[in-house]
Amino acid sequence: MIVTRRSVIAGAATGGAALTLSKVRTAVAQAAPRTRYNATSPQGKAMLGKYAQAVTKMKALPKTDPLNWDFQWYTHWIPGPTNWQQAQQIKAQTINTVFAGRPPSDPHRLLATAMWDTCQAHAFNPNDPNDFQESFFLPWHRFFVYYFEEIIRKVLNDDAFTLPYWNYLTSSANDRIAPPEFRDASNPLFVQNRNSWVNAGQPIDSAPGMIPLNNDCFRETLYSRFCPAIDNNPHGATHVDTGTTTNMGAVPTAAQDPIFWIHHCEIDRLWESWNRIAGRNNPVWPNRSFVYADAAGNSVIRQCKDADRVALLGYQYDSYYTPPFAVAAAAPGPMAAAFTVVQETTRAVATGPLQIAAGGSRITLQPPPELALPTANLGAAAVKQTLFQMSPGEQLYLVLGDIAVPTLISTGVNIYLDLPQDQKGTGPTDVHYVDTLQFFGIEPRGAGGTHADHQRTFNVTEVVKRLDAMGLLTPTPTVTAEPASELRDGLPVVGRVSLIAG
């Protein structure tokens, strides 16, 4: 049972909208949960066989049908830029082409207008800065996958279908190989424009310049930190590692690849896994809703709070992810309100931009003005203590902000903390290694921009502790950026570099 735009409007007209939503939640809670399986399990492989059939059937439907493959793809984003003004022009052109001859009041045309180009949080609407929010990244995609799965059940007339997940966040490199069904050129799940090594059966992060997947997001105890962390890695990293900038490597073309959906099924599973760790709570969601198409092709409006946990939507996973490292529980207390600003203190900043060069670039961080005077007469040990000390529950973050790129960039840049000037970094095995900067969702700015501020935030707590224990931490910390492979696409610039505690 689902709530459509019609039922919400009708309920509101009779004063019964709240009752309708209550009945929906009760029905879902009473139904036996469906189970999503690992794509490599026997059950998951059986579901991939069904999925392949559904892809063929969805692509054969008219493009005006909300159950059509492209209709769903365009919900994520229509091919073209995510630059808002240009994207709106392309959206209008696409709708006029797809719905040529149909009146403006056509329900599927109205649905496309409401649904398409609504992926959170990889766009920026200068007319409404609240239109796309990082905090909505996880609930928006949970609903997106949920209704896509319902559509497949409808297309196949198979109520038992569930979408498998790609279990790539393990210690085995084999799990980072795309399942064989996606690499078989005779299978509808295959697409040509993935990265060549992916279709050749190599781990997605094995090629030079690719982004090593990590589970650092599970070190975060607050949703406001966890959501952007998982969005960056493994989410964005998997996009870049899997596909080119005409495929998974760019937001507007990502959802055309069938592998997109099992990737986002895994991201959804990881979010639910994080929620199952003691002390991890989602925020109190604001009254924000999104529009999707249900299995009947009707408009359905869902609020963030209805995506809080998978049980609310009547499904579960066959297993959940447990990080191999010890995870500290958050202090007991009420859930944080949505968009609560985490109390942060700037410990060090760069005085200029970090212009990434082909051979690598290095910049020194200095105490900000509010710390500069107190640290001016301190010794090296006292300065290090001031910059890097952490009170209980506090963590340190390296923030790379105002990132500008000349064109879409499909390779990564390794980031190091306090790497000596006469050394080259060695990647993830280097004690100075922070993470690999990836550029998924970062596009060249044009009229209106694509984000208010392209930013990546890395938790460097463990790096700082490690360097300090080894005597390698200095009172004048540096940040080094070294392209993991040749940046054929151009050289990016990081406008802001800072070390913060929070």
Side-chain angles (χ1 to χ4, degrees), residues 195-252:
N195 290 325
S196 59
W197 59 90
V198 175
N199 282 340
Q202 300 299 313
I204 59 173
D205 58 353
S206 62
M210 290 301 99
I211 320 299
L213 302 190
N214 66 51
N215 55 15
D216 288 353
C217 59
F218 279 86
R219 299 186 185 278
E220 305 298 342
T221 60
L222 298 176
Y223 178 85
S224 59
R225 292 289 194 195
F226 172 76
C227 185
I230 193 175
D231 187 3
N232 176 53
N233 197 327
H235 169 252
T238 299
H239 272 279
V240 172
D241 290 349
T242 303
T244 67
T245 54
T246 64
N247 174 256
M248 283 276 285
V251 172

Side-chain angles (χ1 to χ4, degrees), residues 411-464:
T411 53
V413 174
N414 290 333
I415 305 297
Y416 302 92
L417 181 64
D418 250 349
L419 181 71
Q421 191 167 9
D422 58 350
Q423 290 184 21
K424 295 290 288 184
T426 57
T429 60
D430 197 303
V431 295
H432 297 270
Y433 175 78
V434 171
D435 207 327
T436 301
L437 173 63
Q438 55 84 15
F439 300 91
F440 181 73
I442 298 180
E443 294 192 351
R445 285 199 180 98
T450 52
H451 274 266
D453 174 19
H454 290 306
Q455 179 174 298
R456 296 282 190 259
T457 301
F458 304 108
N459 189 324
V460 294
T461 304
E462 297 304 315
V463 180
V464 168

Side-chain angles (χ1 to χ4, degrees), residues 389-408:
Q389 65 180 337
M390 287 173 274
S391 59
E394 196 171 44
Q395 302 195 72
L396 291 176
Y397 296 88
L398 179 65
V399 180
L400 306 183
D402 197 22
I403 302 171
V405 297
T407 185
L408 293 177

Side-chain angles (χ1 to χ4, degrees), residues 139-155:
W140 186 92
H141 283 87
R142 174 166 285 174
F143 280 132
F144 190 34
V145 173
Y146 174 79
Y147 284 106
F148 180 80
E149 187 179 64
E150 281 208 338
I151 285 170
I152 290 180
R153 285 196 280 269
K154 173 68 173 180
V155 167

Side-chain angles (χ1 to χ4, degrees), residues 52-63 67-70 73 155 187-191 255-258:
Q53 298 175 33
V55 170
T56 299
K57 290 178 178 290
M58 291 174 71
K59 289 183 176 180
L61 294 172
K63 286 197 172 185
L67 279 58
N68 168 268
W69 182 265
D70 287 0
W73 163 13
V155 167
N187 194 307
L189 302 180
F190 173 87
V191 296
Q256 63 89 18
D257 190 335

